């Protein structure tokens, strides 16, 4: 579009500064620079997400193994229940099954209030917090001494640190991405100076100068 407007020579002479060729050229350059930076930080963010997924994806299977290892270690029933409660949270399972619609209706018909509190604590922050609680609980259980290296307290502590670091990397990568998206939207879609609206205005200006049926406007 800029090339077309430049080809009009002196006939393209808008009074609106935003439509003048120097400003349009500058806006285009800034937008291109922003898009290039955005693509770079998007790649960084995507890589951070992928790395985090690599350590979080097999997490539930690991937690299941920990729970079974505790049960097989000969700890007291009370300790088993403490571990199971945290494992259940890490796996997003409920302590008691949800009521079916028929059971809810029957309870309501009998005048009983039906209140179900979600037990899911599967956000990244909750997973990390509960995993840390589980590790500290395991460290306090003398009977928990698995021969499997990946289930030892020291290995789980290192695994937690890796999960925490990779989650932080996602958080750190997301901030510049969000900032650049705001900048991009401002450069492209600002009501007065965004290149989309400037382009439409330049199109209307060309129409006013050369006419709706002119070959210049049709370009």
């Amino acid at each position: 579009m800029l090339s077309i407007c430049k080809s009009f020579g002196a006939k393209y002479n808008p009074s609106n500064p935003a439509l003048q060729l120097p400003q349009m050229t500058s806006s285009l350059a800034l937008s291109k620079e922003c898009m290039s930076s955005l693509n770079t930080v998007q790649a960084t963010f995507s890589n951070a997400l992928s790395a985090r997924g690599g350590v979080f994806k097999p997490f539930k299977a690991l937690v299941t193994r920990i729970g079974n290892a505790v049960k097989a270690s000969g700890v007291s029933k009370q300790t088993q229940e403490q571990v199971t409660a945290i494992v259940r949270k890490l796996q997003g399972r409920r302590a008691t099954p949800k009521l079916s619609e028929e059971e809810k209706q029957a309870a309501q018909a009998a005048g009983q209030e039906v209140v179900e509190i979600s037990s899911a604590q599967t956000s990244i922050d909750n997973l990390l917090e509960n995993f840390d609680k589980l590790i500290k609980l395991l460290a306090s259980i003398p009977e928990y001494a698995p021969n499997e290296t990946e289930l030892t307290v020291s290995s789980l502590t290192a695994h937690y640190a890796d999960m925490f670091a990779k989650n932080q990397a996602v958080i750190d990568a997301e901030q510049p991405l969000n900032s650049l998206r705001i900048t991009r939207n401002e450069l492209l879609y600002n009501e007065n100076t965004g290149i989309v609206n400037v382009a439409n205005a330049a199109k209307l200006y060309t129409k006013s100068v050369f006419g709706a049926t002119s070959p210049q406007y049709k370009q």
Side-chain angles (χ1 to χ4, degrees), residues 6 30 92 94 133 173 178 190 219:
K6 288 176 182 177
L30 287 172
R94 301 177 60 87
K133 288 180 180 178
N178 288 338
N190 179 278
Q219 291 183 78

Side-chain angles (χ1 to χ4, degrees), residues 103-132:
E103 290 172 327
K104 289 181 183 179
Q105 291 173 5
Q108 291 169 346
Q112 300 173 1
E113 183 180 5
V114 178
V115 178
E116 291 189 310
I117 301 174
S118 173
S119 64
Q121 296 190 33
T122 54
S123 72
I124 297 295
D125 288 340
N126 279 329
L127 282 177
L128 289 171
E129 180 181 354
N130 286 319
F131 190 33
D132 184 47

Side-chain angles (χ1 to χ4, degrees), residues 8 210-219:
F8 298 153
F210 298 102
T213 61
S214 66
Q216 291 90 342
Y217 176 64
K218 288 181 180 179
Q219 291 183 78

Side-chain angles (χ1 to χ4, degrees), residues 18-162:
L19 305 187
Q20 293 170 4
L21 293 176
Q23 181 58 48
M24 291 170 70
T25 301
S26 175
S27 296
L28 177 61
L30 287 172
S31 298
K32 284 185 174 181
E33 182 182 354
C34 179
M35 292 301 297
S36 178
S37 298
L38 185 61
N39 290 337
T40 298
V41 298
Q42 177 67 61
T44 301
F45 179 68
S46 296
N47 289 335
L49 276 179
S50 179
R52 185 178 71 178
V55 295
F56 276 85
K57 187 175 181 180
F59 181 63
K60 286 188 178 181
L62 175 64
V63 170
T64 299
R65 293 182 63 196
I66 294 170
N68 290 332
V70 169
K71 292 176 183 177
S73 66
V75 299
S76 68
K77 184 177 180 181
Q78 181 181 4
T79 300
Q80 285 188 35
E81 290 174 350
Q82 290 177 315
V83 171
T84 299
I86 300 177
V87 167
R88 190 183 298 118
K89 290 178 180 179
L90 289 169
Q91 294 178 329
R93 294 187 290 110
R94 301 177 60 87
T96 56
K98 292 186 70 173
L99 296 176
S100 66
E101 286 302 317
E102 291 79 7
E103 290 172 327
K104 289 181 183 179
Q105 291 173 5
Q108 291 169 346
Q112 300 173 1
E113 183 180 5
V114 178
V115 178
E116 291 189 310
I117 301 174
S118 173
S119 64
Q121 296 190 33
T122 54
S123 72
I124 297 295
D125 288 340
N126 279 329
L127 282 177
L128 289 171
E129 180 181 354
N130 286 319
F131 190 33
D132 184 47
K133 288 180 180 178
L134 178 61
I135 294 170
K136 286 180 169 59
L137 176 58
L138 294 175
S140 71
I141 302 173
E143 297 89 342
Y144 185 77
N147 292 322
E148 295 73 25
T149 303
E150 65 275 16
L151 297 183
T152 63
V153 170
S154 59
S155 291
L156 294 176
T157 301
H159 191 69
Y160 168 82
D162 189 34

Side-chain angles (χ1 to χ4, degrees), residues 188-206:
L188 298 186
Y189 307 116
N190 179 278
E191 184 178 356
N192 298 313
T193 61
I195 64 172
V196 171
N197 292 317
V198 168
N200 288 329
K203 187 177 178 181
L204 288 174
Y205 173 74
T206 303

